[in-house]
Every structure is written in C-alpha cells, then in structure tokens.
C-alpha cells in the first residue's frame, strides 16, 4: 500500500515563553488541514520528563489538540525522535492499521540553563563515557577532528569547510520565517566566535531550541509519496565502534531507504541532513552516498550545497540555524522538504529540481539513525540495477602497544557538575579506543604518544585514581 504526505506544518523555532503544547498546536495550525479523519496520533518527544516534567504525554497532547479518543503513542530515539515517529506512523499506515495518522514531534528546552540542558542531552551517551564529562558537542568535535586527520585535511582547510557549512546554514536561516537564527554570518564572525568544543565554535553547533512539527500521513493518494524509509543503529559507546569518523548507522538506514524506494543516490534532487554540528552535515552527505570524501572541499568551496548548486543541502537553514528542539528536528526536516516540493518556498531559493528529497536524522551520537526519501507521485527515476549492499568499513589493524592520541578536544560548555574547560581525549592502543579526561592543561595532538603509568604523568595523567576509574583499568 502506498503512503503519502497530505499536509505538513512547523511552529516558529527558537526561544519561546510558550508552553510545549502551544508549540504543538502552532505546528498543527500551520498545516492548515482538516483533522476530522485522523485515526491515530503518533507523537515524538525526546525527553519531556526531564525538560518539562510532563509524563504520560501521548494522551495529554492528544487530548489538548482536541483528538481525545483516538489511539495515541509516544516514540523516542534521542535526537532522531522526529524521524522515528514518522517511520513508525508510516509503518502503521502501510500495514493498513490506519488510513490517516497525525504525526507530531516537539521539544521545549530553552527555559533551562545550557549546563542543565547539556546534562540532559548527555544522558544519551553510554554511561561509562558520560562519566568523563563528555557531551554531544565534545564527542562530535573528536569525531570531526579525527575525520579531518584521516582524510588528510589540514586544520585550516577543515575550518574553511566548516565555516562554509555555517555560513550557508545562516544564510538560509535568514530566509526561513520559522528559523531561530535569521541573520547571515561572515567568515570573520565565524572565526571570532567562541570555541564550544575545539575545533567546533559557536557557529558550528545547533542551538538549544523550542519548536514543533506536524504532518499527516495517509493511504489516500496525494502529490507526495513516501518512497523509502530506513533505520540503522550502532554501539552506544563511541569507543567500542569499528569507526567513529563515519556513521554506519546512517549508511545502513540509507541503504534500506534506497532499496525500498528502488532508486539510488543519483536521483536525489536535494537533502536535509542532520547538521546538529557542522561536520555532521559533511559526514551525513558521505554516509547517504551523496558525496565522496575527495569531493568535500570542492563541494563547499564552490557552494554546491546552495539552492542553485549541484546538490542543495539544508536550504531550510538546517538544525544549525532553524534550530534543534531535539525531538522535533527529524520531522521538521520532512516538513521542510514537503514545503519545498509543494511550492511553498520562495521561488528565488527553490531548487530547479524538487522531484526527490532525502532527509537524514541522527539519534544520540549516531546510535539510532534514520533516512527518509520523499518523491513527487509519478516522478520519473533511474531505478537501481540491483539492491545496494552495506559494506563493513575497512579497518587498518594497529599493532602499536603504546597509547596514542586518537582524538582530543577542549570542551568549554560541560554538563552540569563539571568544570570548564574540560579536556577529553580518545586514546588508541592496538585496536582498542579509550575515552579519558586529560588534566595536563595542554590539548594533545592526534598521533602523539602517551605514557600510561602510575609513576609517569606523561602529558595526560595527574589524578591517577580518577583516570584509572575512567579508563577502566585495574589498580595494580
Ligand atoms: N549558534 C549561533 N548562535 C548561538 C548559538 C548557536 N548554536 N547558541 C546560542 N547562540 C547565541 C545566542 O542567541 C546568544 O546571542 P545574543 O547574545 O545575541 O542573545 C549568544 O549566542 C549566547 O547564547 P547562550 O545561550 O548564552 O550560549 P551558550 O554558550 O550558553 O550555548 C551552545 C551555546 C552552543 C553551547 C549551546 O547552544 C549548545 O549546547 N548547543 C548544542 C546542543 C546539543 O548538543 N544538541 C543536541 C545535538 S544532537
């Protein structure tokens, strides 16, 4: 059975005094749709218990939007929640359970302080890694730094790429009435912005936001078809993964979505990818097979991600500028694609071709990711000659018995309960990665050797007990 998008709406994103339920109602009103045929409500919220203290939220919201009586569930997969709720609502319509489902996704965060929000968000991180004070920006920073190192992109050139992502996001945010940030930024402003987690600056990070998104999924034929959906998970602990510079969870989700759609990446006209941090836009494009690593620098230098470029990406402003109410973003991306495909964007920034769109959403530090492909009903595609197959990453074996710095960051906005700045390192020994806190006062370079010994502080260890605990070593 075909599944179609019938309507889509967003609330204004950003800092708001409104309660969560008002944001949800605003998104529903902005759909401008009749709710009389809705048979179920699927609701996505990442952590309303911690952010707002509201529990039993599915029936609460369903009641407050005037649909009490219809079945309602709440779904959560960390920061990909909005995509997850769409995915499961899609499954319910496709299975024939309901003809018409109201899909909602939202979060209310801005009434809390940054350290408090950071602490709540950090709960998505593996407990043993979270003990170090690691937060999402710090883990993203370490993945990004290693990505540049592995791809032979110097720090300066990598900064150029990230700055281009940020400048593009802010440019399109300035044109999106729903966006939290509606001002262009210059390279100079980017370079002068404070570091959040080195090398990531303020303008590399999505903000703390309030906002909601709404769509109606239906079995009744409309102009926009859900062509493919896919989901992939990965190990919760970053240091237990085969690779941290690319996200296999996205790759698996993308392959499933392409195979379901029956066509491959060359058909995608534009994309909304999860740019919670600017390097995630880059990696998102690679993991959805829309870009090759060797093309990255040229793609951004030549502004190929703009609405008139080779592959428009995040021309809504993305999570970076539209804002990132964590539970809402995955669905907001779908709303933006729907708006672009149905001619609701200003003509001046609508890409030439809008037949097929891809969205990619990251949950946690890429532990539960989704890819969704939308297509104008009846649009022509180049079919896949054969199904795409996931290829395990090729890992070079490391024989070195010494500890080396695999990646490192200095975090200036740690979770509540940790002091700033907080230095974090990922160490590599043989094939094992270890996340630790560094108290040397100096941010070590990737590849540097580190001595781990009770007597030798090296550049890393001062508080031995803590470090032993953090590294998970047995005390001699
Ligand atoms: N990008 C651009 N500007 C931002 C911003 C961002 N991400 N975050 C805040 N600002 C602006 C504010 O609007 C404010 O501007 P003003 O002085 O003109 O009013 C200024 O910067 C200071 O804002 P403040 O809220 O005090 O910043 P902060 O340092 O407390 O928080 C971050 C900034 C980046 C640390 C915070 O937004 C953050 O933690 N983001 C990541 C959230 C996250 O991890 N999400 C989940 C990812 S999956």
């Amino acid at each position: 059975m075909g599944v179609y998008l019938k309507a889509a709406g967003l609330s204004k994103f950003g800092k708001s005094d409104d309660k969560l339920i008002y944001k949800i109602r605003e998104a529903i009103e902005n759909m401008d749709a009749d709710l009389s045929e809705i048979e179920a409500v699927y609701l996505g919220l990442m952590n309303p218990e911690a952010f707002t203290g509201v529990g039993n939220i599915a029936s609460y919201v369903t009641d407050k939007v005037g649909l009490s009586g219809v079945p309602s569930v709440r779904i959560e997969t960390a920061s990909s929640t909005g995509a997850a709720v769409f995915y499961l609502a899609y499954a319910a319509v496709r299975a024939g359970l309901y003809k018409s489902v109201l899909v909602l996704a939202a979060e209310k965060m801005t009434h809390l302080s940054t350290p408090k929000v950071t602490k709540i968000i950090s709960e998505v991180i593996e407990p043993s890694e979270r003990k170090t004070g690691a937060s999402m920006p710090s883990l993203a920073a370490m993945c990004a730094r290693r990505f540049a190192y592995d791809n032979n992109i110097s720090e300066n050139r990598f900064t150029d790429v990230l700055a281009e992502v940020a400048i593009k996001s802010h440019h399109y945010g300035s044109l999106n009435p729903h966006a939290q940030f509606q001002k262009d930024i210059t390279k100079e402003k980017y370079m002068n912005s404070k570091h959040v987690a080195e090398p990531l600056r303020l303008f590399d990070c999505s903000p703390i936001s309030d906002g909601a998104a709404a769509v109606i999924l239906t079995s009744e034929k409309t102009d926009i078809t859900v062509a493919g959906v896919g989901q992939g998970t990965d190990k919760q602990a970053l240091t237990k993964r085969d690779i941290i510079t690319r996200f296999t969870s996205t790759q698996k989700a993308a392959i499933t979505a392409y195979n379901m759609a029956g066509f491959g990446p060359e058909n995608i006209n534009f994309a909304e990818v999860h740019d919670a941090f600017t390097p995630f836009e880059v990696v998102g494009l690679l993991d959805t097979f829309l870009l090759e690593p060797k093309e990255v620098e040229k793609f951004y230098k030549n502004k190929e991600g703009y609405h008139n470029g080779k592959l428009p990406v995040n021309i809504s402003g993305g999570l970076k500028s539209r804002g990132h109410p964590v539970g809402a973003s995955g669905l907001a991306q779908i709303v933006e694609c729907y708006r672009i495909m149905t001619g609701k964007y200003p003509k001046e920034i609508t890409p030439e071709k809008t037949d097929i769109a891809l969205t990619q959403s990251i949950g946690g530090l890429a532990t539960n990711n989704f890819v969704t492909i939308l297509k104008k009903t009846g649009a022509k595609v180049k079919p896949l000659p054969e199904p795409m197959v996931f290829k395990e990453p090729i890992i070079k074996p490391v024989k070195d018995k010494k500890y080396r710095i695999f990646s490192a960051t200095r975090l200036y906005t740690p979770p509540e309960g940790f002091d700033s700045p907080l230095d974090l390192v990922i160490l590599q020994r043989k094939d094992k990665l270890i996340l630790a806190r560094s108290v040397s006062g100096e941010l070590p370079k990737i590849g540097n050797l580190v001595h781990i010994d009770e007597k030798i502080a090296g550049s890393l260890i001062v508080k031995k007990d803590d470090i032993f605990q953090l590294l998970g070593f047995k005390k001699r």
Side-chain angles (χ1 to χ4, degrees):
M1 183 186 297
V3 181
Y4 304 90
L5 266 167
K6 191 172 183 179
L10 282 186
S11 74
K12 168 95 173 79
F13 278 29
K15 217 175 161 75
S16 167
D17 291 334
D18 287 345
K19 285 189 176 152
L20 178 68
I21 192 67
Y22 291 109
K23 284 279 136 200
I24 293 175
R25 283 193 189 133
E26 191 187 330
I28 294 174
E29 275 159 26
N30 286 341
M31 279 197 311
D32 200 15
D34 174 17
L35 299 189
S36 62
E37 288 180 4
I38 296 298
E39 294 178 355
V41 174
Y42 275 51
L43 172 69
L45 282 140
M46 174 170 143
N47 201 343
E49 292 83 359
F51 286 126
T52 61
V54 181
N56 191 13
I57 196 148
S59 47
Y60 170 78
V61 169
T62 304
D63 180 13
K64 299 292 173 197
V65 302
L67 289 169
S68 187
V70 307
S72 175
V73 286
R74 178 260 181 118
I75 283 141
E76 179 276 318
T77 57
S79 43
S80 60
T81 289
V85 68
F86 183 89
Y87 179 92
L88 289 171
Y90 165 89
V93 176
R94 182 153 174 188
L97 207 52
Y98 310 113
K99 288 197 201 84
S100 186
V101 174
L102 175 63
V103 190
L104 302 171
E107 210 77 57
K108 168 88 190 135
M109 308 161 77
T110 65
H111 56 292
L112 300 177
S113 69
T114 299
K116 180 82 188 159
V117 170
T118 306
K119 182 168 187 282
I120 295 171
I121 294 179
S122 301
E123 283 165 10
V124 306
I125 297 168
E126 158 87 10
S128 63
E129 294 188 339
R130 200 194 311 153
K131 266 203 286 197
T132 60
S135 63
M136 293 295 278
S138 55
L139 295 185
M142 286 192 282
C143 293
R145 181 163 259 163
R146 184 71 200 193
F147 172 87
Y149 180 85
D150 284 352
N151 286 283
N152 296 317
I153 307 177
S154 69
E155 280 192 24
N156 285 346
R157 278 165 38 220
F158 195 48
T159 300
D160 289 344
V161 170
L162 301 188
E164 283 300 335
V165 179
I167 290 166
K168 173 167 68 66
S169 304
H170 275 264
H171 174 63
Y172 286 108
S174 77
L175 303 168
N176 185 344
H178 297 283
Q180 178 159 354
F181 298 123
Q182 298 186 332
K183 275 194 184 145
D184 271 301
I185 59 163
T186 59
K187 175 86 181 273
E188 194 185 5
K189 184 154 183 172
Y190 171 89
M191 291 306 290
N192 289 335
S193 69
K194 64 178 181 183
H195 273 119
V196 170
E198 289 180 36
L200 303 184
R201 299 163 193 274
L202 181 71
F203 289 111
D204 290 308
C205 301
S206 57
I208 291 163
S209 320
D210 306 327
V215 310
I216 296 176
L217 276 176
T218 172
S219 54
E220 178 195 318
K221 200 168 181 179
T222 72
D223 290 344
I224 307 296
T225 306
V226 184
V229 292
Q231 180 183 11
T233 64
D234 205 342
K235 294 194 174 92
Q236 193 86 350
L238 193 64
T239 50
K240 293 279 187 296
R241 299 192 200 162
D242 293 335
I243 182 166
I244 70 164
T245 52
R246 299 283 297 273
F247 299 137
T248 55
S249 42
T250 299
Q251 293 168 10
K252 288 175 181 167
I255 288 170
T256 308
Y258 286 128
N259 286 340
M260 186 188 290
F263 55 81
E266 70 279 12
N267 291 275
I268 303 299
N269 298 138
F270 68 100
E272 288 283 314
V273 304
H274 189 104
D275 59 335
F277 306 101
T278 51
F280 281 12
E281 178 178 300
V282 178
V283 175
L285 290 175
L286 302 179
D287 289 338
T288 50
F289 311 100
L290 294 169
L291 202 65
E292 293 281 335
K294 60 179 186 314
E295 297 170 333
V296 165
E297 288 182 87
K298 202 169 142 220
F299 182 84
Y300 283 100
K301 194 167 175 225
N302 295 345
K303 301 198 181 300
E304 299 289 10
Y306 281 64
H307 69 278
N308 49 2
K310 210 158 55 185
L311 179 72
V313 184
N314 290 336
I315 59 165
S316 63
L319 278 56
K320 170 67 206 74
S321 289
R322 185 182 57 248
H324 186 22
V326 279
S329 288
L331 191 64
Q333 295 175 316
I334 291 169
V335 175
E336 300 285 13
C337 290
Y338 177 86
R339 296 182 64 234
I340 293 167
M341 294 169 92
T342 53
K344 296 196 173 62
Y345 256 48
K347 278 210 171 57
E348 312 81 71
I349 56 162
T350 300
E352 194 187 329
K353 278 195 171 171
T354 59
D355 281 355
I356 299 168
L358 175 143
T359 69
Q360 174 252 1
S361 183
I362 294 185
L365 209 285
T367 60
N368 206 341
N369 296 5
F370 290 82
V371 168
T372 306
I373 301 173
L374 304 177
K375 173 169 128 15
K376 280 189 189 163
T377 306
K380 286 212 169 71
V381 293
K382 196 170 154 235
L384 276 172
E386 54 195 51
M388 290 172 72
V389 179
F390 172 72
K391 293 193 186 88
E392 294 291 346
I394 301 161
I395 314 292
K396 284 189 212 143
V398 180
K399 294 196 181 116
D400 203 346
K401 284 189 189 153
K402 295 180 176 131
Y403 289 91
R404 274 184 200 279
I405 298 293
F406 189 77
S407 198
T409 188
R410 176 162 295 160
L411 172 64
Y412 294 90
T413 56
E416 194 178 59
F418 291 87
D419 292 333
S420 171
L422 184 78
D423 287 357
L424 293 168
V425 292
I426 297 177
L427 305 172
Q428 182 174 35
R429 182 170 179 260
K430 294 192 186 163
D431 286 337
K432 202 171 168 195
L433 295 182
I434 300 160
L435 178 66
R437 197 161 61 201
S438 161
V439 285
S440 73
E442 208 179 288
L443 195 61
K445 275 207 161 66
I446 292 182
N448 276 7
L449 273 180
V450 178
H451 302 285
I452 303 228
D453 190 290
E454 275 186 75
K455 289 183 195 134
I456 305 168
S459 62
L460 188 74
I461 297 172
V462 175
K463 279 180 165 180
K464 286 188 216 116
D465 284 349
D466 264 9
I467 292 293
F468 277 125
Q469 194 194 349
L470 292 172
L471 298 182
F473 286 159
K474 281 194 188 124
K475 224 170 160 183
R476 269 180 266 161

